[in-house]
């Protein structure tokens, strides 16, 4: 008997390996997948502007980065003691305008340079709901705790989302013609918008991304949303807030992502890297025991082996383990 509905994800013709450079941008789910990539020694620039939920704001930031449209003092506002920018996450907030601008424009330069040599951009969309600041009709990426009455809440249409996505693809391909784009919809449910409103919002994202992938063979859609909502389909796969997927759910999505985008050789390397990560996190009963000291030496040897021909860097990890080696017979 079957107690849930599973579905087959077609393996991608494009395969990721450790020689690829990967930029992730979008919702907090971009952080989840991006961190797993960088933990496994992939070259990744992960959500450089912080968590961004809507397609309009993502398009604005990619365009700014490509064209090096730097932020100015007019883009920085104050709420209480903090200065902030409506276009980015609150992680850029600071106590002076100058500090905010310095970090913003440094990130613009970083993203510009990364896109030029980037192999893959992963875009995760969270919602079609946007907030427009009434003072300037600007679509904001983050309201930064500014009082709600200063904003107009609006739902982007499928066409609005698609237009922003088409501009993203066009801009990326102009400066990096061979770039690949992987899109997905975050399985995090925006229940504060309302259940019906959240479903309409997600539906418009799904429709826009489906159309985008049909239009362009450099764009692929990965079904993170469907894996949680249609395959796992159970509250036990959510955290206690019943909104965010649990670690077990993210593990499942990562497993499917790996099957879709990694060759067997890459998966073999990942298995070895996971051994290194487990070894680093291991807390022995007696650090000076002969067995543990030999274990450290073998782990360093494994890192040396992985570094050869794979463009991986375990310098920091090796130095950490070497500092723990007291004696080896």
């Amino acid at each position: 008997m079957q107690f849930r509905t599973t579905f087959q994800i077609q393996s991608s013709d494009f395969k990721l390996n450790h020689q690829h450079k990967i930029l992730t941008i979008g919702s907090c789910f971009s952080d989840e997948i991006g961190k797993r990539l960088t933990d496994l020694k992939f070259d990744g620039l992960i959500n450089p502007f912080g968590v961004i939920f809507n397609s309009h704001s993502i398009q604005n930031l990619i365009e700014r980065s490509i064209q090096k449209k730097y932020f100015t003092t007019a883009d920085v506002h104050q709420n209480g003691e903090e200065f902030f920018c409506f276009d980015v996450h609150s992680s850029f907030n600071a106590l002076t305008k100058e500090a905010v601008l310095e970090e913003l424009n440094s990130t613009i330069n970083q993203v510009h340079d990364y896109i030029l040599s980037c192999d893959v951009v992963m875009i995760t969309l969270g919602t079609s709901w946007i907030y427009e600041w009434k003072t300037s009709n600007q679509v904001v990426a983050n309201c930064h705790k500014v009082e709600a009455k200063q904003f107009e809440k609006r739902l982007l249409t499928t066409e609005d989302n698609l237009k922003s996505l088409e501009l993203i693809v066009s801009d990326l391909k102009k400066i990096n013609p061979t770039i690949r784009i992987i899109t997905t919809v975050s399985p995090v449910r925006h229940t504060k918008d309302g259940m019906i409103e959240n479903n309409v919002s997600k539906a418009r994202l799904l429709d826009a991304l489906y159309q985008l992938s049909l239009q362009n063979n450099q764009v692929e859609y990965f079904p993170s949303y469907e894996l949680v909502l249609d395959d796992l389909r159970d509250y036990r796969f959510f955290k206690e807030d019943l909104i965010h997927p649990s670690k077990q759910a993210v593990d499942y999505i990562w497993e499917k992502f790996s099957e879709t985008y990694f060759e067997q050789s890459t998966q073999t390397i990942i298995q070895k890297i996971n051994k290194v990560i487990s070894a680093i996190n291991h807390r022995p009963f007696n650090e000076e025991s002969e067995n543990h000291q030999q274990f450290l030496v073998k782990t360093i040897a494994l890192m040396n082996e992985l570094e050869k021909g794979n463009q991986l860097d375990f310098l920091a990890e090796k130095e950490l383990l070497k500092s723990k080696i007291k004696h080896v017979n």
Side-chain angles (χ1 to χ4, degrees), residues 223-240:
S224 302
Y225 178 83
E226 292 82 353
L227 285 170
V228 175
L229 274 297
D230 295 313
D231 182 342
L232 299 180
R233 201 177 178 82
D234 194 304
Y235 276 110
R236 66 195 168 102
F237 295 110
F238 285 84
K239 293 181 179 179
E240 288 182 0

Side-chain angles (χ1 to χ4, degrees), residues 234-261:
D234 194 304
Y235 276 110
R236 66 195 168 102
F237 295 110
F238 285 84
K239 293 181 179 179
E240 288 182 0
D241 63 7
L242 304 181
I243 295 172
H244 292 82
S246 66
K247 180 183 179 299
Q248 189 178 21
V250 178
D251 287 345
Y252 184 68
I253 294 170
W254 174 256
E255 178 185 314
K256 296 299 183 181
F257 183 87
S258 301
E259 292 171 358
T260 304
Y261 290 107

Side-chain angles (χ1 to χ4, degrees), residues 160-202:
D160 292 331
N161 284 313
L162 183 58
K163 181 180 178 181
S164 291
L165 291 162
E166 287 172 337
L167 286 170
I168 290 170
V169 173
S170 175
D171 285 346
L172 289 172
K173 288 171 67 175
K174 280 177 186 175
I175 67 165
N176 189 338
T178 61
I179 201 164
R180 302 295 293 246
I181 299 161
I182 299 172
T183 67
T184 192
V185 171
S186 170
V188 177
R189 297 180 305 154
H190 292 230
T191 55
K192 288 184 179 179
D193 292 323
M195 281 298 190
I196 295 171
E197 290 78 5
N198 172 72
N199 286 336
V200 172
S201 163
K202 297 287 191 184

